[in-house]
Amino acid sequence: MLQNRRGDPVRRMLRLRHTDEWVGLLVLLSLTAFGAAVVEAGVLHTWLQPASRLRIVLPQTGVGGLAVGADVEVLGLHAGTVRRLVLNEQGDMYAVAEIDQQADAFIRHDSVATIRRRYAVAGAAYVDISRGKGDRLDWDYAVIQAQTEPNVVDTVTRTVDDVRARVLPILDNARAMTATLNGIATDLRGGKGSAGRLLTDDALFRQAAAILDQLHDTLDRLRPLQAQLAAAATHGNAALANVQAASADLRRATPQLPAISRHAADATAQLPALLSQTQEATDQLSKLLQQLRGWWLLGGSGAPKPAPQLLPPAAVQP
Amino acid sequence: MPPDDAAMRLAFGSGHLAMQQRRFDLAATDFGRAAAEARARDDRAAIAAAGFDLATARLAAGDPDGSLRAAADARRSVAARGRAGAAGDAAESAPRAAATGQGEGGRDLARALAALDLVEAAARLRSGDPGGAARAAARAEASDDAALSARAALLHGLAADALGDGIALRRERDRLAALLPPLPGKGGTDMAAGGRADLAELDARLFLRAGDPAAAASKAGTAAAARRELLDYRGMARALALRGTALARAGQAANAAGCFLAAGESAAEQGDRDQARAWLARAQQPGVSSATWEAAAEAIRRLDKATPKDSASGS
């Protein structure tokens, strides 16, 4: 046990003799790892990258509350800061802003810088630059034009003024019309004009009431006729059904019509000849009968007299 | 004997048959065709005969104006041929034709011209011109045809009665009586029966004019009965109406209304609407029976409903 106690100090001395080296090595390793992390995170890149300088020509009407240190935003993102406001001898004003280089690609010749207030009518002024699609700016001397966003209060005031300018004449006209209507109503009430007489004289209304009574009587008299019309319509429907049935029969018979017509035409063509032959036969028969009547063997007395042309006088009727 | 023209003879024959069947429009067509054939034949007697037949058919069909036109056309056509009596002087035309005519043809022409006068008298009487009717009837009476002259005497008597000339009526009655053959007579039975009916009608008118309505009604009844037997329904209706007038004057209103009802219905069935309406109206006088009144009213309603064509279907 004593031997064990003698061997421990030795080992402890061996261990303490390299402690400083080991700590120094650990510190160096830590510093190296930190530096690598910083490089990897790009912090240095950001620090080392120089900002672009943009000149924003301000409107002649004023800077709209823009001040040094105001933000510059592109697409709603913070892209820079106004570093300086310059007023030259010609009276032109411009602001010099430092723009992050990552926003350079969005700011082009057709980009528009608008000076706004953070809360529409209040708050700090800032510059909002729209995204451009034109040519890239020459960032050695980049210039864009700025405009001031119309003040909402001014817009409202102008709108109210405009509305007032338009409404007031209308009100005046309405007032004049009201006065006119008032005069007309007064005249009507006083019985002036045809309409006034119409309102004040009830004879016309009495006549209208009488006409309505007559109309009512007429309608009462027409009511039985309506029932008769309904009955007639029923009969008409029945007749129409009969007509339809007859049409159907006629349609079925139609194919036979050409043959019937042909036969009728043939028969008709023979009628004149048949009629002539019949007349001739009848005439001959009549002559034969007259001759027989005059034959002495049948009690006749010679040649028959010809048929008279004149009707008997008794045929003449007064 | 002249050569036979079958077409003209058939046209005359068809017309006569149509007249017997009381198809007067058809008869007028046939007689028109006969007149055309007669003009084609240039036969004056046939032209006059066809004109008379055509005028008679039109008169029977209820067209007295057409009847007068047909008679005038026939007379003009005969006169234009220049060998018979001139138109407009027909009173002398018939005798002159008879005098200047050659044989049977001349007598036929004279008889046809006298027949034209006869039908003119009837048409004028029907048209309400009794004066003209009397003059035409007087010309027809000059014919040597007894039947024609007797018919002309009847027409002359009717015209005289319409004119209120009782003397002329008596004269025509006597002339008619003288012309009638005795019954039964040889070859004139129908003519005698018809003539006696005509004589009875003229007697009735004379009695009525003399203030004896009972005798007038009796004579008129005789005339109506005789004409019914002779199928002369128009003459029967006229006699019935005359009997109705006589009975009414005798105070027998109910019997008179019955006669007027019968006369009116007969006239209506023959297509004489105006005459029928007048007689039916007289059947609705006060004092008649309700049956007669209703029958007359119904007959008038039928007249109102019937179109003129329907009413004249008998013609």
Side-chain angles (χ1 to χ4, degrees):
Chain A
M1 189 172 179
L2 184 60
Q3 288 179 348
N4 287 342
R5 285 179 185 172
R6 285 179 183 170
D8 290 337
V10 173
R11 282 198 295 266
R12 190 166 59 198
M13 284 182 65
L14 285 174
R15 286 198 298 265
L16 290 174
R17 192 174 51 191
H18 298 289
T19 298
D20 293 336
E21 288 81 357
W22 284 109
V23 170
L25 181 61
L26 185 59
V27 169
L28 288 175
L29 287 173
S30 298
L31 289 174
T32 304
F34 178 74
V38 167
V39 171
E40 181 65 22
V43 175
L44 290 177
H45 176 77
T46 304
W47 288 348
L48 296 175
Q49 189 175 24
S52 302
R53 190 175 295 269
L54 176 66
R55 287 170 177 78
I56 302 171
V57 179
L58 298 174
Q60 295 286 336
T61 55
V63 298
L66 195 65
V68 175
D71 292 334
V72 176
E73 293 183 357
V74 175
L75 298 176
L77 297 174
H78 183 270
T81 306
V82 175
R83 292 301 178 191
R84 227 165 19 112
L85 289 174
V86 179
L87 180 63
N88 62 13
E89 295 177 351
Q90 287 78 27
D92 297 331
M93 291 185 294
Y94 64 92
V96 178
E98 289 182 352
I99 304 297
D100 294 340
Q101 285 189 348
Q102 60 184 356
D104 290 353
F106 300 101
I107 302 173
R108 302 197 178 188
H109 274 296
D110 57 346
S111 292
V112 177
T114 305
I115 301 170
R116 304 177 190 275
R117 288 192 178 271
R118 185 62 65 187
Y119 306 112
V121 296
Y126 70 98
V127 178
D128 182 24
I129 301 176
S130 66
R131 179 177 182 173
K133 294 181 180 178
D135 298 335
R136 284 178 173 275
L137 288 172
D138 178 8
W139 284 100
D140 290 337
Y141 194 81
V143 179
I144 64 172
Q145 189 71 34
Q147 62 183 15
T148 306
E149 185 183 46
N151 193 337
V152 176
V153 176
D154 294 341
T155 303
V156 171
T157 304
R158 274 199 304 274
T159 304
V160 169
D161 290 342
D162 190 27
V163 169
R164 185 179 164 193
R166 291 171 185 269
V167 166
L168 282 180
I170 295 173
L171 290 176
D172 290 340
N173 289 337
R175 193 178 301 116
M177 288 171 61
T178 304
T180 305
L181 285 175
N182 188 31
I184 292 172
T186 304
D187 291 344
L188 286 176
R189 200 179 304 119
K192 295 180 179 177
S194 299
R197 284 194 297 276
L198 191 66
L199 285 177
T200 55
D201 187 3
D202 58 348
L204 188 60
F205 289 99
R206 286 198 299 274
Q207 293 175 359
I211 290 172
L212 283 176
D213 289 339
Q214 292 177 359
L215 185 61
H216 189 261
D217 293 340
T218 304
L219 288 176
D220 285 341
R221 285 196 293 272
L222 284 177
R223 206 159 284 132
L225 187 61
Q226 184 182 5
Q228 293 177 3
L229 282 177
T234 305
H235 292 314
N237 288 335
L240 193 59
N242 292 335
V243 169
Q244 287 174 343
S247 299
D249 294 341
L250 185 61
R251 189 167 56 249
R252 282 194 293 274
T254 300
Q256 302 174 3
L257 285 180
I260 295 172
S261 300
R262 196 164 50 250
H263 294 159
D266 293 343
T268 306
Q270 296 173 4
L271 277 180
L274 180 62
L275 194 59
S276 297
Q277 291 172 1
T278 304
Q279 284 179 332
E280 179 66 20
T282 306
D283 189 43
Q284 295 296 332
L285 186 61
S286 176
K287 283 182 177 178
L288 178 62
L289 286 174
Q290 285 182 357
Q291 288 175 355
L292 285 175
R293 199 177 296 159
W295 197 21
W296 62 271
L297 284 176
L298 298 178
S301 58
K305 291 182 179 178
Q309 292 178 335
L310 285 177
L311 286 167
V316 179
Q317 293 284 350
Chain B
M1 188 172 179
D4 181 33
D5 185 333
M8 188 173 70
R9 179 166 46 78
L10 285 174
F12 273 112
S14 299
H16 289 186
L17 283 174
M19 285 293 288
Q20 289 172 13
Q21 296 168 4
R22 287 197 284 276
R23 301 182 64 186
F24 303 124
D25 289 333
L26 180 60
T29 303
D30 290 333
F31 291 137
R33 200 170 69 247
E37 293 291 343
R39 285 194 296 273
R41 183 182 160 87
D42 189 27
D43 186 335
R44 292 170 296 157
I47 290 171
F52 164 71
D53 288 352
L54 178 60
T56 303
R58 286 182 178 173
L59 185 63
D63 181 14
D65 294 336
S67 175
L68 286 173
R69 281 198 303 274
D73 288 345
R75 248 193 231 104
R76 193 179 307 117
S77 185
V78 170
R81 280 158 174 82
R83 286 167 291 183
D89 192 13
E92 296 179 0
S93 63
R96 186 188 305 172
T100 60
Q102 300 295 320
E104 191 72 22
R107 282 193 294 275
D108 287 346
L109 176 59
R111 186 166 180 265
L113 290 172
L116 286 174
D117 291 330
L118 179 73
V119 74
E120 180 189 343
R124 292 196 181 280
L125 200 58
R126 193 90 69 92
S127 301
D129 179 15
R135 288 190 292 274
R139 293 196 299 270
E141 281 176 314
S143 170
D144 56 359
D145 186 312
L148 198 152
S149 184
R151 194 66 174 174
L154 170 69
L155 296 178
H156 201 167
L158 293 177
D161 188 38
L163 291 169
D165 187 353
I167 297 173
L169 176 59
R170 165 68 64 181
R171 186 184 66 236
E172 296 305 322
R173 184 262 171 209
D174 294 342
R175 185 192 300 270
L176 177 59
L179 286 170
L180 291 181
L183 269 179
K186 183 181 177 183
T189 304
D190 282 352
M191 183 260 179
R196 294 196 181 280
D198 295 345
L199 187 63
E201 182 179 357
L202 293 184
D203 282 338
R205 292 180 185 276
L206 280 171
F207 280 125
L208 201 59
R209 192 165 291 281
D212 187 354
S218 174
K219 286 290 183 183
T222 301
R227 284 170 176 163
R228 185 179 300 110
E229 295 301 319
L230 293 169
L231 310 183
D232 178 8
Y233 298 142
R234 183 175 181 84
M236 179 199 72
R238 190 173 64 249
L240 283 173
L242 182 61
R243 177 176 165 79
T245 303
L247 289 174
R249 289 194 188 172
Q252 302 179 39
N255 292 333
C259 290
F260 281 122
L261 174 64
E265 286 186 336
S266 179
E269 294 303 325
Q270 295 177 71
D272 193 349
R273 295 162 59 87
D274 295 337
Q275 188 63 77
R277 202 181 298 277
W279 285 337
L280 289 171
R282 295 190 67 179
Q284 290 181 311
Q285 298 298 323
V288 305
S289 68
S290 60
T292 304
W293 185 289
E294 287 300 324
E298 177 60 27
I300 291 174
R301 278 195 293 274
R302 282 201 304 272
L303 267 181
D304 292 337
K305 286 180 183 176
T307 63
K309 190 73 177 176
D310 294 337
S311 183
S313 58
S315 60

